[in-house]
Amino acid sequence: MRKPDLHGMATPDLVALFAKVTVDQDEALLGNRIAKFNRLFGVMIEISDELKGREGDQRTALLSLFEYPNMQVRLQAAKLTLAVAPVEARRQLKRSHPRNGFRKPATPACVSIFWMMGRSSRNDGMWGGRRICFGQPAEPPVR
């Protein structure tokens, strides 16, 4: 992917690019192409930084992605809007919880969701000895 000129793009175009990059991230992650995922993650952060730097912190435009069909897009949009729309972002993160029907292999993004929602980093995404991201019991961490 050639590096786009983010500064010259309109906000709706940045949101569309964010969605495309995040869908590509999801495909890279599912295909175990970690280097590609990492490159795309950098592009995603650049898009977020560009939106943040615009007048009025335009990251709120990412709220429109909360109804996007791809779960990875919704998760990344929610994580990156926590600072500007915490209530809506937390609601979106909770909708993605395994008890609410979301099932996907755990990823670093999945673990970080629970950390950002106030879980202790000491338990590394664990809740009562269960790894929530997997939706199945896991071995408790060695202390």
Side-chain angles (χ1 to χ4, degrees):
M1 170 180 264
R2 190 176 353 143
K3 190 171 181 172
D5 175 27
L6 301 178
H7 190 67
M9 294 177 74
T11 298
D13 295 335
L14 286 173
V15 172
L17 180 61
F18 181 93
K20 181 190 179 315
V21 165
T22 312
V23 167
D24 291 345
Q25 271 185 355
D26 193 33
E27 292 170 1
L29 194 58
L30 292 173
N32 202 30
R33 294 184 308 271
I34 304 304
K36 181 176 181 179
F37 174 87
N38 289 339
R39 280 192 303 276
L40 292 168
F41 187 86
V43 173
M44 181 191 71
I45 294 302
E46 288 176 12
I47 294 168
S48 175
D49 289 345
E50 176 62 32
L51 290 169
K52 181 179 179 181
R54 292 185 176 199
E55 187 174 332
D57 196 344
Q58 295 297 306
R59 287 180 293 176
T60 55
L62 296 176
L63 295 173
S64 66
L65 298 176
F66 284 7
E67 300 302 320
Y68 201 85
N70 183 287
M71 180 59 74
Q72 182 76 5
V73 174
R74 295 193 309 257
L75 287 173
Q76 295 291 20
K79 289 184 339 183
L80 293 173
T81 56
L82 274 168
V84 293
V87 173
E88 296 90 342
R90 285 180 186 272
R91 186 177 309 128
Q92 179 62 38
L93 291 171
K94 288 179 182 178
R95 283 179 34 194
S96 304
H97 191 279
R99 286 189 219 141
N100 296 330
F102 171 61
R103 297 283 187 265
K104 185 174 181 174
T107 64
C110 185
V111 172
S112 69
I113 290 167
F114 297 105
W115 176 79
M116 286 197 296
M117 290 181 67
R119 307 296 184 265
S120 164
S121 60
R122 178 175 165 226
N123 65 13
D124 191 30
M126 303 290 282
W127 182 314
R130 296 174 61 108
R131 186 174 295 278
I132 299 175
C133 294
F134 289 110
Q136 308 172 3
E139 294 298 317
V142 178
R143 299 192 194 236

